[in-house]
Amino acid sequence: MEVFPLCHPDNFTWCPESGQLKEDKSKQGNRFVLCEDGLKVLKNIGGPVVPISIVGRVQSGKSYFLSKLGESLPFPIGTTHRTNGVWVGSTGRGVHRDGGNARVVLFDCGGFGSLDGEDATSIDTKLFAIAVLMSSMVIFNTVGSPTLSEIENMGFVSKLSQELPSMGNFANSKADLFWLIRDALLIPQVDQKQCSWDVYMNNLLRPNGEDSSAPMKKTIFEIFNKLHAFGLPPPSADPKIRKKLKTGDMDDKKSVKKFLENVENVCEQILTRSRVKSIGDTPVSGRELATLLEQSLGYLNNQEKLANFTGKSFCSHISSRAIDSYRNKMDKVTLPCRSLERKHHQELEKCKELFENKSKASLVVEEVRTNALHDLVRNIESHFSKLDHDNVALSETHCKSLVKQVIGNLKGKCGSDKRITKDNIITRKTEAFKEFDIGASNCEERVRNRHRHILSEEVNELDKNYYLKLIGETQERVKKVYKQNIDNVTLPCDETYLDNVHAKWVREAIRDIQGVTNNDNLQKTIDGAISEIEKHAKMVLEHRRTTNARESRETCKKLFAALEKEHLGKITTNPSDSTYSVIIAKKKNMLDEYETKATGPRASEVKVEMEKKLDNTLRKTEQIMRDQIKIDCENKFNGQIRTEITEKLPLWTMEIETSHKNAIQKTTQLFNSRTEGMVTASVDELKGNLDTFMNNELDRLKKDNNSKSQVFCKSLIVDLEEEHLTVLTKTFADMICSDLTSARQNIFSEYDNSAKGPAKDKIREEAETEIDEKIRQIRRKKYKVQTGVAAMSPLGSLAMNIGCRVKRWATSD
C-alpha cells in the first residue's frame, strides 16, 4: 500500500522516484495542481468509497493518526516534515456498508499555516473546502480544547464549500464532522455535570443569539450532517517520548501503551461511524470523486472569484453585525447623556476590533477589507452625529434652567444667615455647585462645563462682600492663636525650635488668611492683613527669646552639676578604685548626656564654663591616681617575682630572666590598662620610674640566686657524699675498689640532676677535687689492711695482688 499526493500547490513538483514533493521557490504557490499518481488511486476504484479526510493545524500529528487509521499507510511523518496539499491512500480493504462492500480512502490535508507568504490563509481554506467536498467524514484535529477562533474559521471555510459550482448533485451529500481533541486534559461538562465529548461539543457549537459567533456555528450545523467528538489524552509527560511518536521512532510501546489503546479506540469509532459517499441513495465511486476534484479546482484556483466571496460577502456580513450591535447599545442610552461621546468611542472601537479580528482571520483581500472598514466607520459616525445633536440641545435647555434655580436658592440662604463665616461661605458655594453638578450630571460635558463657569461667576460676585468681613475676623483670630502657641513652648528650648514654631504658626496664619478667598479683587486686602500679622508675630517672638536665654543658663548649670555628681562623684572622692580610661569614658558620657539633655541658647556657653572647673578637679584626681598606679604596679611586680622566682630559688639565670620578663609583661599590662587615656608625658615619666624599679630588682634577684645556689649545691654535695661514700667506709672490710668508683659516679650523676643555679659548675669542680682526694685516702687505707706484713715479700705481694683482682672481678657488675 502506497500514498501519493492528490493535489498540491503549484510551487511543488512531484518526484515519483524519490516519493517526495520538491519545492520551486520561484513560484507563489497560490494555485493547486493535480497529481496523476494520486488520481489513479481514486480512478482505480470503480465501486463505492468511504472517503475520510483529516485537517488541522500544522505539526499537530495528523499524518501520524491517519497512518494508524489506515493500517500503517506510509503517510510521511516527522518533526521536520510538513504535508503539502492533499495526499491520498487506500487501505486496500473493504468495509460492509448498506448491504455491500466499500473501499476506505484516506485524505491527508496539509496543516493550516503550513505555508509562508501572503496567500497562506487562502491555501488553508482551499484545503478545508476540498476535504469537505470529497469526504463523507472530516476529522478536525485540534490540540487542546477548541477555541472561538477555530470555531469561527471552520464555519466560514465550511460556507465556502457550499459556494463551489462543482458541488452540483453533491450539495445534498453532507459529510460528518469528527472533532478530535488531542492532548485533552479537560473533563467535559455540561451544566456542571460530566458528559461525553459528543455531548460537550454539540452543546459548545449550538448557536446562541447573543453569541457573536452564532452565525458561524449555525453554518457548521448546516454544512455537516452529524457532529462527533473524541478527547485523546497526551501520550506522556515526557517530551522525548512525544517527539518519538511524532517522528515514528517509538520502539518502547509499553511507556505509551494507554495512549496507543486510546488511538485504536478512536480509530475504531471513526471506522464504525463512517459512511459511504453518496448522492441521495446512490453511492459515489472513486472515479466520480476524481472527476469532482478536477471540476472544483477550477473554481478554487480562480483567485478573483475567491477573493470576491471572501471579501465583499464576508465583510458585508461582519459590518451588518457590527452596526446592529452599535445601534442596539447606543439607542438604549437615555438623553441627555454626559458620556455619550465616550460610549460612542468605546462601542466604535469594539465594532472595529470585531471587524478587524474577523476579517484578518478569514479570506479577505486587504483592499476590500480596508474599504469595508471605512464604510463601517462612516455609517456609525453618521448615526452618532444625530444622537449627539439631540443630546446637546437637551443639555443646553436643562443647564440654563438649573443655573437660575441654584442662584435663587443661594440668595435665599444668604438672607437667612445672621453670621457669615468662612465655612458658611464655602458650604454655600459647595452646595451650590453640588446642586448644579447633581442636576447636570447627565448633560453633555461641553454644555455642562460652560454653564458651570457661568454659575461660578455669579456665585463669586455674590460672596465678595461677605469675604471682606471674614478677612478682618480671621486676622484677629490668627493673632491670638499665634501668641497662644508661642507661649505654650516649654522654656528653655533650642532657639531653632523656637524659630521653627514661630515660622510654622506664621505660615498657618498666612495660610488661613489666604485661604479665605482666591478672589483677585481682594488680594490687596489680604496682603495688608498678612503684613500686620507678621509685625505682631515678630514683637512676640523677641520677648520670648529674652526669657528663653535667661532660663536656659540657669537650667544648664543645674544639669551640669547633677551629671558631674552622677558620673564622676565617686571617682573624685576615691580615685584609687578607678582607672584614668574610666574617668575619660565617664567624662565623655557625661558631656554626651549633657549635649543630649541641655537645651536653650546658653547650653554651649555653660558647657565651656563648667568644663574648665571640671578639668581642674580631674587634674588633682589624676595625680592621686598616678601615685596609686605606681604602688599597684610595684605590688603586682613584687607578687609575680615572689611567686615565680623568690619562692623557687635557686634557679638558673635564664629562668630568672624569663620569669622576670613575664613579671614585667604582666605589670606592663596592668600599667597600660590603668594609664589608658592619660597624657603621654605623664605616662612616660611614670613608666620610666617603674622600669628602673623592675631592672634594679633583677640585679638583686641574681645576687640572691647566686648565694642560695652556692648554699644549695654545697649542701647537696654533703648529702650525696654521706649517702654514697661515707656508707662504704662503714663496711670497710667488704669494700672493693670498684665500689669507690661507682660511688663517685653516683654522687656526681645525682648532683648534675639535682643541682641548680649559677654556682653549680663551680661547686662541682671543688667537690670533685675534695671527693677524689677522699677516695685516694680510702684506697690507701684499704690496701694497707689487705696486704699486711706478708705483702712485704715479692711472692706474697704478687699473690695478694692477684687475689684482690679476682675478688674485684667476682663482685663487679
Side-chain angles (χ1 to χ4, degrees), residues 492 548-564 590-591 594-595 597-615:
N548 185 43
R550 183 179 64 254
E551 293 190 10
S552 173
R553 181 173 183 80
E554 295 174 358
T555 304
C556 290
K557 279 188 175 183
K558 292 179 182 179
L559 174 64
F560 197 96
L563 293 176
E564 181 180 350
M590 186 201 80
L591 294 177
Y594 175 85
E595 291 284 352
K597 295 181 177 180
T599 57
R602 298 293 182 264
S604 298
E605 177 184 318
V606 171
K607 179 186 175 184
V608 174
E609 179 183 338
M610 298 300 289
E611 192 174 0
K612 288 181 180 179
K613 295 180 180 180
L614 177 62
D615 289 342

Side-chain angles (χ1 to χ4, degrees), residues 52 97 137 265-275:
I52 302 173
R97 293 290 186 275
M137 177 176 283
N265 183 17
V266 70
C267 289
E268 186 65 29
Q269 288 194 38
I270 291 173
L271 292 175
T272 302
R273 300 179 184 185
S274 61
R275 298 180 294 108

Side-chain angles (χ1 to χ4, degrees), residues 69-165:
L69 180 64
E71 295 181 339
S72 302
L73 278 173
F75 287 103
I77 61 176
T79 56
T80 59
H81 174 78
R82 289 184 176 183
T83 303
N84 293 291
V86 181
W87 289 60
V88 63
S90 177
T91 60
R93 71 174 184 181
V95 294
H96 190 72
R97 293 290 186 275
D98 301 328
N101 290 327
R103 289 279 294 276
V104 176
V105 179
L106 303 179
F107 298 113
D108 186 12
C109 299
F112 296 165
S114 63
L115 302 178
D116 296 327
E118 297 178 355
D119 297 323
T121 306
S122 298
I123 290 294
D124 294 344
T125 308
K126 293 174 184 178
L127 287 173
F128 193 90
I130 292 172
V132 174
L133 179 69
M134 301 285 291
S135 307
S136 64
M137 177 176 283
V138 177
I139 303 172
F140 189 40
N141 185 80
T142 62
V143 179
S145 300
T147 64
L148 180 61
S149 176
E150 290 173 332
I151 293 172
E152 293 188 346
N153 287 338
M154 169 173 280
F156 181 72
V157 296
S158 298
K159 189 175 181 181
L160 174 62
S161 64
Q162 287 182 317
E163 302 294 326
L164 294 176

Side-chain angles (χ1 to χ4, degrees), residues 516-570:
V516 171
T517 179
N518 56 359
N519 193 328
D520 294 337
N521 297 327
L522 299 175
Q523 190 60 46
K524 289 184 178 180
T525 305
I526 291 175
D527 291 342
I530 291 174
S531 178
E532 181 65 25
I533 290 171
E534 290 176 342
K535 182 178 179 181
H536 173 265
K538 185 176 180 180
M539 180 182 66
V540 174
L541 177 64
E542 288 301 324
H543 178 267
R544 200 63 175 160
R545 280 178 175 173
T546 303
T547 305
N548 185 43
R550 183 179 64 254
E551 293 190 10
S552 173
R553 181 173 183 80
E554 295 174 358
T555 304
C556 290
K557 279 188 175 183
K558 292 179 182 179
L559 174 64
F560 197 96
L563 293 176
E564 181 180 350
K565 183 177 180 181
E566 177 185 350
H567 289 273
L568 298 170
K570 293 183 179 180

Side-chain angles (χ1 to χ4, degrees), residues 349-363:
E349 289 301 321
K350 289 180 181 178
C351 293
K352 290 168 66 177
E353 183 179 1
L354 172 65
F355 183 87
E356 291 284 349
N357 292 339
K358 296 294 184 182
S359 61
K360 285 184 178 179
S362 304
L363 304 174

Side-chain angles (χ1 to χ4, degrees), residues 299 301-310 365:
Y299 179 81
N301 286 331
N302 191 327
Q303 293 296 102
E304 184 177 354
K305 291 183 180 180
L306 193 62
N308 182 59
F309 170 76
T310 58
V365 178

Side-chain angles (χ1 to χ4, degrees), residues 217 306 802:
K217 291 182 178 179
L306 193 62
I802 293 173

Side-chain angles (χ1 to χ4, degrees), residues 677-737:
M678 278 190 176
V679 180
T680 304
S682 300
V683 173
D684 292 343
E685 180 184 355
L686 192 59
K687 186 66 169 60
N689 295 335
L690 182 61
D691 289 343
T692 301
F693 167 76
M694 291 188 292
N695 291 333
N696 293 338
E697 190 66 16
L698 177 62
D699 295 338
R700 183 188 66 77
L701 287 172
K702 287 182 177 180
K703 292 180 181 179
D704 290 348
N705 185 51
N706 188 47
S707 299
K708 290 188 178 182
S709 177
Q710 290 181 5
V711 173
F712 176 77
C713 291
K714 287 181 180 181
S715 175
L716 180 61
I717 287 294
V718 171
D719 292 342
L720 293 175
E721 184 179 345
E722 179 68 24
E723 179 182 353
H724 293 284
L725 191 60
T726 306
V727 170
L728 290 179
T729 58
K730 292 180 179 180
T731 57
F732 188 77
D734 297 327
M735 181 184 65
I736 60 176
C737 294

